[in-house]
Amino acid sequence: MKKTIIAFVLCLLMMGCVTTSTLKFDPQALDGQETISKDGIEAVISQKKVKVTVQPTVVTYTSQDRPTIAVSVYGGEEAFNFSTEDVQVFVDSNPHGIIPYDELVKEIENREKKEINRLKMENDKRSEGAGGSSDLAYRVEQEYLSDVAAAKREKKQAIRALDTTMLKKTTVSPREEYSGHVTMEKIPDPSQPHQVKVVVRAAGEEHEFLLNHLKVQ
């Protein structure tokens, strides 16, 4: 089994569309907000008691992927708790799903279990085909163990990758910055333009952001 960690994470995020479109978020600054460029991608800043920034994680993405944004909060005078529960998404005024970090971890773990079950069934068939050859049976078993070990390593690496990027429940200390990615459910009917509203609650305040969602021509 020759896989890469990148393929494993993409497998988590892909939803299985037959056709592929290229899509993008176009951030819009509302009253009192400003736009900046971070790593070549436009971000919107909302400044109240605390500062909040929302930014697409990539310039464009495909319709096979779940859209992801980066949310950054900057601590004020007092510490506050922050998690994906403090982020809401609306598509054309309709509530839209967010995938919490814990659910993404469960998806990785479930995919690992399915892969190991597949390997076991394949190994059983190959073992039966080995007949009475002890050498062949030994090689089949060693390959199976190697594949299982690789699947376990990739699960750990995928979870480690999530740990470094995804938004998790945390306490934001005064004057410190915390950033994390928020993964949404796929945007319905992505070939049509949509208005995506992101509401972020931080330190008792609400910050509203507007992201126009477009198909790239």
Side-chain angles (χ1 to χ4, degrees):
M1 180 180 65
K2 297 182 178 179
K3 296 181 179 178
T4 65
I5 182 60
I6 295 176
F8 195 85
V9 174
L10 286 177
C11 187
L12 164 67
L13 298 178
M14 288 174 61
M15 296 295 291
C17 285
V18 175
T19 59
T20 300
S21 300
T22 301
L23 310 168
K24 67 176 293 186
F25 284 115
D26 185 16
Q28 305 293 308
L30 302 176
D31 290 343
Q33 298 178 343
E34 63 176 306
T35 59
I36 62 169
S37 179
K38 296 177 64 177
D39 301 321
I41 303 176
E42 196 169 67
V44 177
I45 298 175
S46 175
Q47 177 72 64
K48 296 184 180 180
K49 286 191 301 184
V50 298
K51 183 168 68 174
V52 179
T53 300
V54 166
Q55 175 189 34
T57 58
V58 292
V59 176
T60 62
Y61 75 99
T62 74
S63 56
Q64 290 188 344
D65 299 326
R66 289 173 176 152
T68 304
I69 58 173
V71 177
S72 302
V73 291
Y74 304 82
E77 296 300 320
E78 298 181 358
F80 60 91
N81 295 327
F82 191 69
S83 72
T84 52
E85 295 179 358
D86 298 303
V87 181
Q88 290 180 294
V89 174
F90 300 85
V91 177
D92 300 328
S93 301
N94 298 312
H96 191 70
I98 288 175
I99 315 298
Y101 166 82
D102 291 344
E103 289 189 21
L104 293 174
V105 172
K106 287 180 181 178
E107 284 190 7
I108 292 174
E109 292 174 340
N110 288 337
R111 290 180 186 277
E112 181 220 23
K113 290 177 183 177
K114 290 180 180 179
E115 176 63 11
I116 290 178
N117 286 337
R118 185 192 70 80
L119 290 170
K120 185 178 185 306
M121 292 176 63
E122 184 179 278
N123 179 69
D124 291 343
K125 291 180 181 178
R126 294 182 64 192
S127 297
E128 290 176 3
S133 173
S134 58
D135 288 343
L136 181 55
Y138 176 79
R139 289 198 301 272
V140 167
E141 182 67 16
Q142 291 304 304
E143 288 179 8
Y144 166 68
L145 294 176
S146 177
D147 288 347
V148 169
K152 290 180 178 294
R153 285 196 303 271
E154 287 173 358
K155 181 198 74 173
K156 291 180 180 179
Q157 290 173 335
I159 292 176
R160 192 178 300 120
L162 286 181
D163 284 338
T164 62
T165 58
M166 302 306 296
L167 183 71
K168 295 172 289 186
K169 187 174 183 180
T170 189
T171 298
V172 182
S173 300
R175 291 172 294 280
E176 289 190 359
E177 176 184 358
Y178 175 71
S179 300
H181 292 183
V182 174
T183 299
M184 308 175 193
E185 296 285 3
K186 293 174 64 179
I187 305 295
D189 196 10
S191 63
Q192 299 299 316
H194 299 281
Q195 285 193 333
V196 178
K197 181 173 71 174
V198 179
V199 178
V200 180
R201 295 187 302 272
E205 301 176 318
E206 280 197 357
H207 298 253
E208 183 176 317
F209 300 86
L210 176 61
L211 309 173
N212 288 336
H213 188 263
L214 310 168
K215 179 180 179 181
V216 178
Q217 300 299 326

